[in-house]
């Protein structure tokens, strides 16, 4: 039997309906929910021609592996990533776009990864990069939290993160790591050119080798009692500052 993955929640399933409806095997929906949001979702699914199955919340929760499914879950075929990181960067170079990349070092919590993908999509980042070890992969929880961004933002897991950062630098991409002891703030950092922003997990931060692989370090100024931000919040601060500078 072919391997299928599960998406759940309105955002995650709706984005798949928009981007790759042919990959959807079936959609289970809560037959007791008749509000406007469900009606709109079902109309979109029927228009896409996907198989709809009425189910109770217990069956949907069992499929989703979570009670936060909002009454919607889908079995879907894997959609192959269209290109490699090198292909993506080559295409950006051909089109004259300055890459904006988010690099996550040691982010293992799927909720954090999902939130980072959502922020990356909102800020227009071209890709998110993480090591194959010590990192979360894309699963149903990530897709749910990402609210569809797991389907739109390329996520590349690399064997050796330090080597990958070195290769980015060879392409002229400036690698800026975040650290609370950095001499300058993210607002004093020029993010208008080809940029890779590197963030570590909350608490330990970047690994030492990753830190040494950065061209520069920047910090997010903290004015209150707490010493650090959740990695997804910090990603949002940094990526949106890059977007502000580029639009300005």
């Amino acid at each position: 039997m072919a391997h299928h993955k599960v998406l759940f929640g309105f955002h995650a399933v709706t984005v798949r309906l928009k981007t790759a409806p042919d990959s959807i095997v079936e959609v289970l929906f809560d037959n007791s929910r008749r509000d406007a949001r469900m009606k709109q979702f079902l109309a979109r699914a029927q228009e896409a021609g996907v198989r709809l199955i009425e189910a109770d919340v217990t069956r949907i929760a069992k499929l989703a592996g979570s009670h936060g499914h909002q009454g919607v879950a889908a079995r879907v075929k894997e959609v192959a990533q269209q290109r490699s990181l090198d292909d993506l960067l080559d295409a950006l170079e051909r089109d004259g776009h300055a890459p904006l990349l988010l690099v996550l070092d040691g982010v293992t919590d799927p909720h954090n990864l999902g939130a980072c993908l959502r922020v990356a999509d909102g800020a227009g980042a071209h890709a998110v990069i993480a090591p194959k070890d010590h990192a979360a992969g894309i699963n149903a929880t990530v897709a749910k939290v990402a609210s569809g961004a797991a389907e739109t933002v390329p996520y590349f897991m690399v064997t050796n993160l330090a080597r990958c950062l070195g290769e980015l630098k060879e392409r002229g991409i400036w690698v800026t790591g975040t650290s609370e002891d950095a001499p300058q703030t993210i607002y004093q950092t020029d993010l208008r050119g080809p940029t890779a922003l590197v963030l570590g997990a909350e608490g330990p931060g970047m690994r030492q080798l990753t830190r040494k692989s950065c061209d520069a370090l920047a910090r997010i100024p903290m004015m209150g009692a707490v010493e650090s931000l959740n990695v997804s919040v910090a990603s949002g601060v940094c990526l949106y500052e890059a977007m502000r500078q580029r639009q300005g």
Side-chain angles (χ1 to χ4, degrees):
M1 182 180 292
H3 174 68
H4 297 148
K5 74 173 187 177
V6 175
L7 299 176
F8 61 90
F10 283 113
H11 284 298
V13 180
T14 298
V15 169
R16 179 59 73 93
L17 280 170
K18 291 179 181 178
T19 58
D22 292 343
S23 69
I24 299 177
V25 178
E26 59 190 15
V27 173
L28 278 67
F29 68 97
D30 179 4
N31 56 6
S32 68
R33 182 169 176 174
R34 294 179 170 83
D35 56 278
R37 191 175 191 187
M38 180 64 81
K39 289 178 180 177
Q40 185 179 37
F41 171 80
L42 292 177
R44 185 187 292 274
Q46 288 168 345
E47 185 179 345
V50 304
R51 182 186 181 203
L52 290 168
I53 300 174
E54 294 186 10
D56 59 31
V57 291
T58 302
R59 182 180 176 188
I60 297 172
K62 185 176 180 180
L63 175 63
S66 167
H67 290 285
H69 49 71
Q70 299 176 305
V72 172
R75 286 191 180 92
V76 300
K77 300 174 186 174
E78 293 280 0
V79 176
Q81 195 158 268
Q82 296 299 311
R83 49 191 173 183
S84 66
L85 176 58
D86 282 332
D87 290 339
L88 174 65
L89 295 174
D90 288 343
L92 291 173
E93 185 177 349
R94 282 196 307 270
D95 295 339
H97 296 306
L100 177 59
L101 308 172
L102 175 63
V103 182
L104 302 175
D105 185 25
V107 176
T108 58
D109 182 86
H111 292 87
N112 278 338
L113 174 58
C116 287
L117 288 168
R118 186 173 185 176
V119 165
D121 180 89
H126 297 107
V128 176
I129 301 169
K132 287 184 177 176
D133 297 327
H134 312 294
I138 301 292
N139 60 21
T141 299
V142 171
K144 170 65 166 56
V145 176
S147 295
E151 303 287 313
T152 60
V153 179
Y155 181 56
F156 298 103
M157 301 188 78
V158 299
T159 303
N160 186 313
L161 186 59
R163 183 188 306 140
C164 177
L165 295 179
E167 291 169 353
L168 293 180
K169 292 197 287 187
E170 289 174 4
R171 283 180 170 269
I173 296 173
W174 190 257
V175 179
T176 298
T178 54
S179 175
E180 61 185 22
D181 61 358
Q184 65 181 16
T185 71
I186 194 70
Y187 307 116
Q188 297 167 323
T189 305
D190 188 350
L191 305 172
R192 293 170 295 176
T195 299
L197 289 163
V198 188
L199 287 90
E202 189 176 0
M206 293 181 292
R207 290 173 295 174
Q208 198 61 33
L209 184 56
T210 304
R211 183 185 175 104
K212 290 179 180 178
S213 300
C214 295
D215 291 306
L217 297 175
R219 58 183 166 82
I220 297 173
M222 302 296 294
M223 308 302 290
V226 298
E227 296 180 354
S228 64
L229 298 174
N230 174 275
V231 64
S232 63
V233 176
S235 295
V237 172
C238 295
L239 288 172
Y240 273 87
E241 172 59 15
M243 184 179 76
R244 185 195 67 80
Q245 291 186 20
R246 289 166 178 234
Q247 290 182 340

